Short mmCIF file of all heavy atoms in Angstrom, two decimals:
data_model
loop_
_atom_site.label_atom_id
_atom_site.label_comp_id
_atom_site.label_asym_id
_atom_site.label_seq_id
_atom_site.Cartn_x
_atom_site.Cartn_y
_atom_site.Cartn_z
N VAL T 9 0.83 -1.20 0.00
CA VAL T 9 0.00 0.00 0.00
C VAL T 9 0.87 1.25 0.00
O VAL T 9 0.71 2.13 -0.84
CB VAL T 9 -0.96 0.02 1.20
CG1 VAL T 9 -1.76 1.33 1.23
CG2 VAL T 9 -1.89 -1.18 1.16
N ALA T 10 1.78 1.33 0.95
CA ALA T 10 2.65 2.50 1.06
C ALA T 10 3.86 2.15 1.90
O ALA T 10 3.79 1.30 2.79
CB ALA T 10 1.90 3.68 1.69
N THR T 11 4.98 2.81 1.63
CA THR T 11 6.19 2.65 2.41
C THR T 11 6.78 4.01 2.73
O THR T 11 6.52 5.00 2.04
CB THR T 11 7.25 1.81 1.68
OG1 THR T 11 7.62 2.45 0.46
CG2 THR T 11 6.72 0.41 1.39
N ILE T 12 7.60 4.03 3.77
CA ILE T 12 8.29 5.26 4.15
C ILE T 12 9.65 4.89 4.73
O ILE T 12 9.77 3.97 5.54
CB ILE T 12 7.44 6.09 5.15
CG1 ILE T 12 8.13 7.42 5.46
CG2 ILE T 12 7.15 5.30 6.42
CD1 ILE T 12 7.22 8.40 6.19
N THR T 13 10.69 5.59 4.31
CA THR T 13 12.03 5.35 4.81
C THR T 13 12.27 6.11 6.10
O THR T 13 11.46 6.93 6.52
CB THR T 13 13.09 5.77 3.77
OG1 THR T 13 13.09 7.20 3.65
CG2 THR T 13 12.80 5.14 2.41
N SER T 14 13.41 5.82 6.73
CA SER T 14 13.75 6.52 7.95
C SER T 14 13.92 8.02 7.72
O SER T 14 13.73 8.81 8.64
CB SER T 14 15.02 5.94 8.56
OG SER T 14 16.12 6.06 7.67
N GLY T 15 14.27 8.40 6.49
CA GLY T 15 14.43 9.80 6.15
C GLY T 15 13.16 10.48 5.70
O GLY T 15 13.18 11.69 5.44
N GLY T 16 12.06 9.72 5.57
CA GLY T 16 10.79 10.32 5.23
C GLY T 16 10.38 10.21 3.77
O GLY T 16 9.33 10.75 3.39
N SER T 17 11.15 9.52 2.95
CA SER T 17 10.76 9.31 1.56
C SER T 17 9.62 8.31 1.48
O SER T 17 9.67 7.27 2.12
CB SER T 17 11.94 8.82 0.72
OG SER T 17 12.97 9.79 0.69
N THR T 18 8.60 8.62 0.69
CA THR T 18 7.40 7.79 0.63
C THR T 18 7.19 7.21 -0.76
O THR T 18 7.67 7.75 -1.76
CB THR T 18 6.15 8.59 1.03
OG1 THR T 18 6.00 9.72 0.15
CG2 THR T 18 6.28 9.09 2.46
N ASN T 19 6.45 6.11 -0.79
CA ASN T 19 6.06 5.46 -2.02
C ASN T 19 4.67 4.89 -1.83
O ASN T 19 4.37 4.31 -0.78
CB ASN T 19 7.05 4.35 -2.39
CG ASN T 19 6.68 3.63 -3.66
OD1 ASN T 19 6.16 2.51 -3.62
ND2 ASN T 19 6.93 4.25 -4.79
N TYR T 20 3.81 5.05 -2.85
CA TYR T 20 2.43 4.60 -2.75
C TYR T 20 2.04 3.74 -3.94
O TYR T 20 2.52 3.94 -5.06
CB TYR T 20 1.46 5.79 -2.71
CG TYR T 20 1.62 6.70 -1.52
CD1 TYR T 20 2.46 7.81 -1.57
CD2 TYR T 20 0.93 6.45 -0.34
CE1 TYR T 20 2.60 8.64 -0.48
CE2 TYR T 20 1.07 7.28 0.76
CZ TYR T 20 1.91 8.38 0.68
OH TYR T 20 2.05 9.21 1.77
N ALA T 21 1.15 2.79 -3.69
CA ALA T 21 0.52 2.09 -4.78
C ALA T 21 -0.35 3.07 -5.56
O ALA T 21 -0.93 4.00 -5.00
CB ALA T 21 -0.34 0.94 -4.25
N ASP T 22 -0.43 2.86 -6.88
CA ASP T 22 -1.21 3.77 -7.72
C ASP T 22 -2.67 3.87 -7.26
O ASP T 22 -3.29 4.93 -7.37
CB ASP T 22 -1.16 3.31 -9.17
CG ASP T 22 0.19 3.55 -9.82
OD1 ASP T 22 0.96 4.37 -9.31
OD2 ASP T 22 0.46 2.91 -10.86
N SER T 23 -3.21 2.78 -6.74
CA SER T 23 -4.61 2.74 -6.36
C SER T 23 -4.94 3.63 -5.16
O SER T 23 -6.11 3.93 -4.93
CB SER T 23 -5.04 1.30 -6.06
OG SER T 23 -4.27 0.75 -5.01
N VAL T 24 -3.94 4.04 -4.40
CA VAL T 24 -4.19 4.84 -3.20
C VAL T 24 -3.59 6.23 -3.27
O VAL T 24 -3.79 7.03 -2.34
CB VAL T 24 -3.71 4.13 -1.92
CG1 VAL T 24 -4.28 2.72 -1.84
CG2 VAL T 24 -2.18 4.09 -1.86
N LYS T 25 -2.87 6.55 -4.32
CA LYS T 25 -2.25 7.86 -4.45
C LYS T 25 -3.30 8.96 -4.41
O LYS T 25 -4.33 8.88 -5.06
CB LYS T 25 -1.44 7.96 -5.75
CG LYS T 25 -0.14 7.19 -5.73
CD LYS T 25 0.62 7.36 -7.04
CE LYS T 25 1.93 6.59 -7.02
NZ LYS T 25 2.66 6.70 -8.30
N GLY T 26 -3.03 9.98 -3.63
CA GLY T 26 -3.95 11.08 -3.48
C GLY T 26 -5.00 10.87 -2.42
O GLY T 26 -5.71 11.83 -2.06
N ARG T 27 -5.14 9.65 -1.93
CA ARG T 27 -6.14 9.34 -0.91
C ARG T 27 -5.52 8.94 0.42
O ARG T 27 -6.07 9.27 1.47
CB ARG T 27 -7.06 8.21 -1.38
CG ARG T 27 -7.83 8.54 -2.66
CD ARG T 27 -8.88 7.47 -2.96
NE ARG T 27 -8.28 6.15 -3.17
CZ ARG T 27 -8.57 5.07 -2.45
NH1 ARG T 27 -9.46 5.15 -1.46
NH2 ARG T 27 -7.99 3.90 -2.72
N PHE T 28 -4.41 8.22 0.37
CA PHE T 28 -3.75 7.73 1.58
C PHE T 28 -2.46 8.51 1.82
O PHE T 28 -1.79 8.92 0.87
CB PHE T 28 -3.40 6.24 1.46
CG PHE T 28 -4.57 5.30 1.45
CD1 PHE T 28 -5.87 5.75 1.35
CD2 PHE T 28 -4.34 3.93 1.55
CE1 PHE T 28 -6.94 4.88 1.34
CE2 PHE T 28 -5.41 3.04 1.55
CZ PHE T 28 -6.71 3.51 1.44
N THR T 29 -2.11 8.67 3.08
CA THR T 29 -0.87 9.32 3.45
C THR T 29 -0.18 8.51 4.54
O THR T 29 -0.78 8.22 5.57
CB THR T 29 -1.10 10.75 3.96
OG1 THR T 29 -1.76 11.53 2.96
CG2 THR T 29 0.23 11.41 4.30
N ILE T 30 1.07 8.14 4.29
CA ILE T 30 1.85 7.42 5.28
C ILE T 30 2.80 8.39 5.98
O ILE T 30 3.34 9.31 5.35
CB ILE T 30 2.64 6.25 4.64
CG1 ILE T 30 3.28 5.37 5.72
CG2 ILE T 30 3.68 6.75 3.65
CD1 ILE T 30 3.88 4.07 5.18
N SER T 31 2.97 8.21 7.27
CA SER T 31 3.87 9.04 8.04
C SER T 31 4.46 8.22 9.17
O SER T 31 4.00 7.11 9.45
CB SER T 31 3.16 10.28 8.59
OG SER T 31 2.09 9.91 9.45
N ARG T 32 5.48 8.74 9.82
CA ARG T 32 6.09 8.01 10.93
C ARG T 32 6.64 8.96 11.97
O ARG T 32 6.98 10.11 11.67
CB ARG T 32 7.20 7.07 10.43
CG ARG T 32 8.39 7.76 9.80
CD ARG T 32 9.35 6.76 9.15
NE ARG T 32 10.13 6.01 10.14
CZ ARG T 32 10.94 4.99 9.85
NH1 ARG T 32 11.06 4.59 8.58
NH2 ARG T 32 11.61 4.37 10.81
N ASP T 33 6.70 8.47 13.19
CA ASP T 33 7.30 9.18 14.30
C ASP T 33 8.46 8.32 14.77
O ASP T 33 8.26 7.31 15.46
CB ASP T 33 6.28 9.39 15.41
CG ASP T 33 6.81 10.24 16.55
OD1 ASP T 33 8.03 10.28 16.76
OD2 ASP T 33 5.98 10.88 17.24
N ASN T 34 9.67 8.69 14.40
CA ASN T 34 10.83 7.87 14.71
C ASN T 34 11.09 7.78 16.21
O ASN T 34 11.58 6.76 16.70
CB ASN T 34 12.07 8.42 14.00
CG ASN T 34 12.00 8.24 12.49
OD1 ASN T 34 11.35 7.32 11.99
ND2 ASN T 34 12.68 9.10 11.76
N ALA T 35 10.78 8.83 16.95
CA ALA T 35 10.98 8.82 18.39
C ALA T 35 10.09 7.79 19.07
O ALA T 35 10.44 7.24 20.11
CB ALA T 35 10.74 10.20 18.98
N LYS T 36 8.91 7.53 18.48
CA LYS T 36 7.97 6.57 19.04
C LYS T 36 7.98 5.23 18.31
O LYS T 36 7.22 4.33 18.67
CB LYS T 36 6.55 7.14 19.00
CG LYS T 36 6.35 8.38 19.86
CD LYS T 36 4.92 8.87 19.78
CE LYS T 36 4.70 10.09 20.67
NZ LYS T 36 3.31 10.58 20.59
N ASN T 37 8.83 5.10 17.29
CA ASN T 37 8.88 3.88 16.47
C ASN T 37 7.48 3.50 16.00
O ASN T 37 7.07 2.33 16.07
CB ASN T 37 9.52 2.73 17.25
CG ASN T 37 11.00 2.95 17.48
OD1 ASN T 37 11.72 3.40 16.58
ND2 ASN T 37 11.47 2.64 18.68
N THR T 38 6.76 4.48 15.49
CA THR T 38 5.38 4.29 15.09
C THR T 38 5.18 4.79 13.67
O THR T 38 5.72 5.84 13.29
CB THR T 38 4.43 5.03 16.04
OG1 THR T 38 4.59 4.51 17.37
CG2 THR T 38 2.98 4.84 15.62
N VAL T 39 4.41 4.05 12.89
CA VAL T 39 4.04 4.44 11.54
C VAL T 39 2.52 4.56 11.47
O VAL T 39 1.81 3.80 12.12
CB VAL T 39 4.58 3.44 10.49
CG1 VAL T 39 3.96 2.06 10.67
CG2 VAL T 39 4.35 3.96 9.08
N TYR T 40 2.05 5.52 10.67
CA TYR T 40 0.63 5.78 10.54
C TYR T 40 0.20 5.68 9.08
O TYR T 40 0.99 5.88 8.17
CB TYR T 40 0.28 7.18 11.06
CG TYR T 40 0.76 7.46 12.46
CD1 TYR T 40 2.00 8.07 12.67
CD2 TYR T 40 -0.01 7.12 13.56
CE1 TYR T 40 2.45 8.33 13.95
CE2 TYR T 40 0.43 7.38 14.84
CZ TYR T 40 1.66 7.98 15.04
OH TYR T 40 2.10 8.24 16.31
N LEU T 41 -1.06 5.41 8.88
CA LEU T 41 -1.64 5.45 7.55
C LEU T 41 -2.97 6.17 7.64
O LEU T 41 -3.94 5.64 8.19
CB LEU T 41 -1.85 4.04 6.99
CG LEU T 41 -2.34 3.98 5.54
CD1 LEU T 41 -1.25 4.50 4.59
CD2 LEU T 41 -2.74 2.57 5.15
#
């Protein structure tokens, strides 16, 4: 669906682009969608 690197670079499947957003909080070791 989506990926995010430790530096914040993102990649999305075409089917979800513009609708989904991936993010992360490195201090909390947590990723969100």
Side-chain angles (χ1 to χ4, degrees):
V9 176
T11 61
I12 184 168
T13 69
S14 60
S17 297
T18 59
N19 179 257
Y20 297 92
D22 288 340
S23 59
V24 307
K25 286 181 180 178
R27 300 189 298 122
F28 291 10
T29 302
I30 189 170
S31 61
R32 64 188 286 174
D33 185 335
N34 291 332
K36 296 181 178 180
N37 291 318
T38 300
V39 64
Y40 307 93
L41 185 68

